[in-house]
Amino acid sequence: MKNITILGSTGSIGVNALNILRNIELDFKISYLTANHNADVMIDQCKEFHPKKAIMIDEKSAEKVYQEVSKEGIEVLVGRESLLNIVKDQTVDLVLNSLVGASGMEPTYNAINAGVDVALANKESLVVAGNIITKAMEESGAKLYPVDSEHSAIWQCLIGESMDDIEKIILTGSGGPFRTRELNTFNDIKVSDALKHPNWDMGKKITIDSATMMNKGLEVIEAYWLFNLSYPDIEIIIHPQSIVHSMVQFNDGSIKAQMGVPDMKIPIQYALTYPNHIKAPWERLEFSKLNELTFESPDLDKFPCIKLAYDSLEKLGSAPAVLTMANDYCVYKFLDEKIKFIDIPRIIKEALDRHSWVKEPNLKYLNELNTWSKNFVDSFV
Amino acid sequence: MKNITILGSTGSIGVNALNILRNIELDFKISYLTANHNADVMIDQCKEFHPKKAIMIDEKSAEKVYQEVSKEGIEVLVGRESLLNIVKDQTVDLVLNSLVGASGMEPTYNAINAGVDVALANKESLVVAGNIITKAMEESGAKLYPVDSEHSAIWQCLIGESMDDIEKIILTGSGGPFRTRELNTFNDIKVSDALKHPNWDMGKKITIDSATMMNKGLEVIEAYWLFNLSYPDIEIIIHPQSIVHSMVQFNDGSIKAQMGVPDMKIPIQYALTYPNHIKAPWERLEFSKLNELTFESPDLDKFPCIKLAYDSLEKLGSAPAVLTMANDYCVYKFLDEKIKFIDIPRIIKEALDRHSWVKEPNLKYLNELNTWSKNFVDSFV
């Protein structure tokens, strides 16, 4: 029996995860479900999966959920403090963290620190606090299982292999909706343009990150921490069809790739069922019906966020944290139509240059840096 | 220190293997080298690698080698019996069997039976005597390491995985030189046409097998025995660029592929150095410079050998043996311009239909079947 907590259960990854658990033969029990404010979906999930407790960040939504599920013996908690507490419950075997943005870091840290394994869909956790979380893992013995399709691919390619045999990691990316758009039209990009991802059906924040390709940059940093790599060994290759989800090149030149239809169900399931590939009814890739697969180098002029991410990885310390925090706020401002698409990398670059860099940021400093980043981005609007 | 024997050291795989050993940091010693009649190359190899013994099948060549290398303390043996004996030497850690055709089977059996691991480039061994060799492996504990690029790919994809999690094996094939040739011109195919393989630089026999696609059929049968699979779980997909060397699909729909430049050095090296990917200077695949990768179903009208192979796998018993033995002799007759290209599958089909099928062929029967196959093919010329 696997006791599972899902942080962000009403979002894209959370809904997918519950759909997977509904469809495969895994002996599991849901311990906790958490969401921000989507009461209706949370009520349905509670009625179907009967968690011990449901946590809503928003107070009014919590009340609504309480009205419907308390009679079923499900406790309803409210607020971020509750979320930060329930992840420490050591009766839980796996916390699926599908929170969005830098605020997902503390729940990851708290779970790992308590010795609870985390299936990590929140890439910002490691980008913000890779040093802190890695240290906590060493102390508690808890493990991180990647959920991102790219990192899941790398993880799957590394099963049974020695880390000493790795020559480099090849992260693939679709190139997002603006891969073929002319750079001189980037000034006119609208929110609706940026929300049209060619291959993947994801939440809004990550879809914008795909459009700026900051997503790929954050993935490079996440891979650095997840797989304990040195920075020049991580390469980005654009693969518009999103069939090859990432690759590992070994010292003899042999390359392993993980492939499949572009569907988050496979990587989410693998994180839930590792080390097994449990029988599942998802769509299969049919090679005879595939169009051609192509590969190209990323265009760093169009997508300066990639270079900013590599720069921050070279600096390390607090640089990756301020990169992703500033990115979070910039994306929200862009979604609110307060800044332009091309302002996103500009503001992030300023934030990187102007924040007070520290070598080993602690949680307190990271919280301050988050507030600083919010104010900094606000000052541009 | 790894003691290595190379059967067929002057052929394409053997020469490649010695080149690899020359280039990587592996602590090894060559125990035996064997060849048919290429005395000059054998003499050079002996002078460089100092095997305990050199074996030449051809007597005159043996004399020539003896003249040159006996003064260096290298013993020279002659004939197939010597070859069948030296593979039993239990001080050897690994026999690389790169003999061509069905005659490679007995050396594989003898090594395995003596408890010596075999790196198997001779796919006919398992096609002819899968049941006998598998049984010998169970009894002696010796292992088979695939050298074929396809089977090496599958092997690499299975490292660290559970066999229970496999949904199917996807064997890729380039489609050979006649993939796009019109079927109604197959009657005119010349030996020189069939020897032009688009991607791989290999020996003559295997190059003709690629042109008829019997090679892919034999690989299906080899995969069946190597990985202990049931027959419908092995699929052939044509991939003309030969970059993806084969794949494994798991029960959750996840697919792992092994990729690289089309160069036998990687799979040969892996069989020599397993489980490590030792640093090597071979050409790397550059994704940004790759042309598109494409996939299509094989054309069974153009390449009836594929269907014959699947048929023989369904029948099992002596069927795969007579398939590959008849194929051996047909290919030599075609190379001698005694039969046409399109006669190859016709004669093999007749041999399959007309031989006396037995359920569990033993070595004696297989030897008789080999003679029968030779005579049967001769009767068509």
Side-chain angles (χ1 to χ4, degrees):
Chain A
M1 167 80 84
K2 207 168 203 165
N3 294 302
I4 298 173
T5 288
I6 301 181
L7 311 182
S9 66
T10 63
S12 168
I13 300 281
V15 167
N16 252 317
L18 289 170
N19 187 33
I20 290 161
L21 292 169
R22 198 182 278 128
N23 276 282
I24 64 173
E25 282 189 27
L26 180 71
D27 189 18
F28 76 98
K29 167 123 191 52
I30 295 294
S31 302
Y32 305 89
L33 295 177
T34 86
N36 277 328
H37 47 66
N38 195 333
D40 293 339
V41 173
M42 178 57 90
I43 290 164
D44 289 345
Q45 290 179 345
C46 283
K47 287 181 177 173
E48 182 178 356
F49 292 96
H50 292 91
K52 282 199 293 194
K53 300 183 188 178
I55 292 89
M56 300 300 290
I57 303 300
D58 176 62
E59 203 165 331
K60 280 204 176 136
S61 313
E63 262 170 52
K64 194 172 168 190
V65 173
Y66 177 79
Q67 298 298 333
E68 288 285 330
V69 308
S70 63
K71 56 197 168 204
E72 312 215 10
I74 300 168
E75 203 176 323
V76 179
L77 304 177
V78 62
R80 183 166 164 89
E81 277 309 308
S82 303
L83 183 149
L84 290 174
N85 269 323
I86 59 99
V87 294
K88 299 177 189 167
D89 182 346
Q90 295 178 333
T91 68
V92 171
D93 299 298
L94 187 70
V95 171
L96 170 60
N97 182 351
S98 53
L99 299 176
V100 175
S103 66
M105 180 273 286
E106 246 182 301
T108 299
Y109 172 75
N110 283 5
I112 290 289
N113 209 31
V116 180
D117 293 343
V118 175
L120 192 62
N122 175 269
K123 69 192 64 167
E124 291 84 353
S125 290
L126 281 174
V127 177
V128 167
N131 59 332
I132 297 170
I133 291 172
T134 308
K135 208 170 173 187
M137 286 172 73
E138 280 166 19
E139 282 165 10
S140 75
K143 301 255 182 312
L144 276 182
Y145 299 147
V147 172
D148 251 358
S149 65
E150 293 81 358
H151 300 86
S152 179
I154 296 162
W155 185 30
Q156 292 182 53
C157 291
L158 289 175
I159 297 292
E161 300 283 1
S162 158
M163 295 299 290
D164 292 337
D165 284 350
I166 302 176
E167 188 162 272
K168 72 177 171 188
I169 299 290
I170 305 169
L171 269 172
T172 56
S174 69
F178 305 138
R179 181 178 62 91
T180 58
R181 184 171 176 141
E182 290 296 326
L183 178 56
N184 60 20
T185 70
F186 270 44
N187 192 37
D188 312 322
I189 288 173
K190 291 192 201 76
V191 171
S192 56
D193 302 332
L195 284 176
K196 282 179 204 140
H197 194 279
N199 302 338
W200 295 95
D201 179 21
M202 306 178 292
K204 279 187 183 181
K205 160 69 167 59
I206 194 172
T207 303
I208 301 301
D209 286 344
S210 294
T212 61
M213 291 204 67
M214 179 58 95
N215 190 41
K216 214 45 58 183
L218 298 179
E219 284 171 11
V220 169
I221 302 170
E222 189 186 6
Y224 170 85
W225 288 110
L226 262 179
F227 304 112
N228 196 18
L229 301 163
S230 57
Y231 128 74
D233 296 345
I234 312 170
E235 183 182 327
I236 295 171
I237 283 286
I238 303 304
H239 167 50
Q241 299 81 23
S242 297
I243 298 296
V244 177
H245 297 148
S246 278
M247 302 183 263
V248 175
Q249 181 169 311
F250 296 93
N251 282 333
D252 54 1
S254 178
I255 293 170
K256 270 198 214 176
Q258 189 269 341
M259 305 165 89
V261 288
D263 182 336
M264 284 303 294
K265 285 202 280 298
I266 293 177
I268 297 170
Q269 176 179 325
Y270 192 66
L272 296 174
T273 67
Y274 165 87
N276 302 115
H277 298 273
I278 293 181
K279 191 93 197 154
W282 325 132
E283 184 193 349
R284 297 307 196 246
L285 193 61
E286 285 194 60
F287 281 93
S288 61
K289 291 179 185 161
L290 263 191
N291 290 324
E292 64 207 27
L293 302 183
T294 61
F295 301 88
E296 60 194 52
S297 294
D299 184 334
L300 300 189
D301 292 329
K302 279 188 190 172
F303 304 107
C305 285
I306 295 176
K307 186 161 184 315
L308 293 175
Y310 274 104
D311 287 349
S312 81
L313 184 54
E314 202 170 11
K315 289 191 190 90
L316 274 180
S318 57
V322 78
L323 172 97
T324 190
M325 289 163 174
N327 180 59
D328 278 8
Y329 294 111
C330 283
V331 170
Y332 295 129
K333 292 291 175 197
F334 171 67
L335 285 168
D336 283 348
E337 300 182 356
K338 302 285 196 228
I339 63 173
K340 287 185 177 181
F341 187 80
I342 56 171
D343 291 332
I344 299 174
R346 287 180 191 161
I347 298 172
I348 296 169
K349 184 175 188 325
E350 288 287 313
L352 264 172
D353 291 346
R354 301 236 213 124
H355 90 289
S356 29
W357 182 84
V358 300
K359 193 178 174 191
E360 297 211 345
N362 56 22
L363 289 177
K364 182 167 167 290
Y365 176 79
L366 290 173
N367 275 324
E368 288 164 16
L369 190 61
N370 198 18
T371 309
W372 180 88
S373 301
K374 182 175 190 309
N375 294 335
F376 186 80
V377 173
D378 280 344
S379 73
F380 278 82
V381 179
Chain B
M1 168 80 83
K2 207 169 204 164
N3 293 303
I4 298 173
T5 287
I6 300 181
L7 311 182
S9 67
T10 62
S12 168
I13 300 279
V15 168
N16 252 316
L18 290 170
N19 187 32
I20 289 160
L21 292 169
R22 197 182 279 128
N23 276 281
I24 64 172
E25 282 190 26
L26 180 71
D27 188 17
F28 75 98
K29 168 126 190 51
I30 296 293
S31 301
Y32 304 90
L33 295 177
T34 87
N36 277 329
H37 46 68
N38 195 333
D40 292 339
V41 174
M42 178 57 91
I43 290 164
D44 289 345
Q45 291 179 346
C46 283
K47 288 183 175 170
E48 182 176 358
F49 292 98
H50 293 91
K52 281 201 293 194
K53 300 183 188 177
I55 291 90
M56 299 301 291
I57 302 301
D58 177 62
E59 204 165 331
K60 281 207 175 134
S61 313
E63 262 171 53
K64 190 169 172 194
V65 173
Y66 176 81
Q67 299 298 334
E68 287 287 330
V69 309
S70 62
K71 57 195 167 206
E72 311 217 10
I74 299 169
E75 203 175 325
V76 179
L77 304 177
V78 64
R80 184 167 163 87
E81 278 309 308
S82 304
L83 184 148
L84 290 173
N85 270 324
I86 59 98
V87 294
K88 299 177 190 167
D89 182 344
Q90 295 179 332
T91 67
V92 172
D93 298 299
L94 187 69
V95 171
L96 170 58
N97 182 349
S98 52
L99 299 175
V100 174
S103 65
M105 181 271 288
E106 246 181 300
T108 300
Y109 172 75
N110 283 6
I112 290 289
N113 209 30
V116 180
D117 294 342
V118 175
L120 191 63
N122 175 269
K123 66 191 68 170
E124 291 84 353
S125 290
L126 281 174
V127 177
V128 168
N131 59 333
I132 297 171
I133 291 172
T134 308
K135 208 168 173 187
M137 286 171 73
E138 280 165 18
E139 282 164 11
S140 74
K143 300 255 183 314
L144 276 182
Y145 299 147
V147 172
D148 250 359
S149 66
E150 294 80 358
H151 300 87
S152 178
I154 295 163
W155 184 32
Q156 291 183 53
C157 291
L158 289 175
I159 298 290
E161 300 282 1
S162 159
M163 295 301 289
D164 292 337
D165 284 350
I166 301 177
E167 190 163 271
K168 72 176 172 190
I169 298 291
I170 304 168
L171 269 172
T172 57
S174 68
F178 305 138
R179 182 177 61 90
T180 59
R181 183 171 177 139
E182 291 296 326
L183 178 56
N184 60 20
T185 70
F186 270 43
N187 193 36
D188 312 322
I189 288 173
K190 293 192 200 74
V191 171
S192 56
D193 302 333
L195 284 176
K196 283 179 200 139
H197 194 278
N199 303 336
W200 295 96
D201 180 20
M202 305 178 291
K204 278 187 186 183
K205 160 73 166 57
I206 194 171
T207 303
I208 302 301
D209 286 344
S210 295
T212 62
M213 292 203 68
M214 179 58 96
N215 190 41
K216 215 42 61 183
L218 298 179
E219 284 171 10
V220 169
I221 302 171
E222 188 187 6
Y224 170 85
W225 288 111
L226 261 179
F227 304 112
N228 195 20
L229 300 164
S230 57
Y231 126 73
D233 296 345
I234 311 170
E235 184 183 326
I236 296 172
I237 283 286
I238 303 305
H239 166 49
Q241 299 80 24
S242 297
I243 297 296
V244 177
H245 297 150
S246 278
M247 302 183 262
V248 174
Q249 181 169 310
F250 296 93
N251 283 330
D252 54 1
S254 180
I255 293 170
K256 270 198 215 176
Q258 189 270 342
M259 305 163 88
V261 288
D263 183 335
M264 284 304 294
K265 285 203 281 296
I266 292 177
I268 298 169
Q269 178 181 326
Y270 193 65
L272 295 174
T273 67
Y274 165 84
N276 301 115
H277 299 272
I278 293 181
K279 191 91 197 156
W282 325 131
E283 184 194 349
R284 296 311 195 243
L285 193 61
E286 284 195 60
F287 282 93
S288 61
K289 290 178 186 161
L290 263 191
N291 290 325
E292 62 206 29
L293 302 183
T294 61
F295 301 88
E296 61 195 51
S297 294
D299 184 335
L300 299 190
D301 292 329
K302 279 188 191 171
F303 304 108
C305 285
I306 294 176
K307 189 165 179 313
L308 293 174
Y310 273 105
D311 287 348
S312 80
L313 184 54
E314 203 169 11
K315 290 192 189 91
L316 275 177
S318 57
V322 78
L323 172 98
T324 191
M325 288 163 174
N327 180 60
D328 278 8
Y329 294 111
C330 284
V331 170
Y332 295 130
K333 293 291 175 198
F334 171 68
L335 284 169
D336 281 351
E337 299 181 358
K338 302 284 194 230
I339 62 172
K340 287 188 178 178
F341 187 79
I342 56 170
D343 292 330
I344 299 174
R346 287 178 192 162
I347 299 173
I348 296 169
K349 185 175 185 324
E350 288 287 314
L352 263 173
D353 291 346
R354 300 233 215 129
H355 90 290
S356 30
W357 182 85
V358 300
K359 195 177 173 192
E360 296 211 346
N362 57 24
L363 288 178
K364 182 166 167 289
Y365 177 79
L366 290 173
N367 275 326
E368 288 163 16
L369 190 60
N370 198 17
T371 309
W372 181 88
S373 302
K374 184 175 189 311
N375 294 336
F376 185 81
V377 173
D378 280 345
S379 73
F380 277 82
V381 178

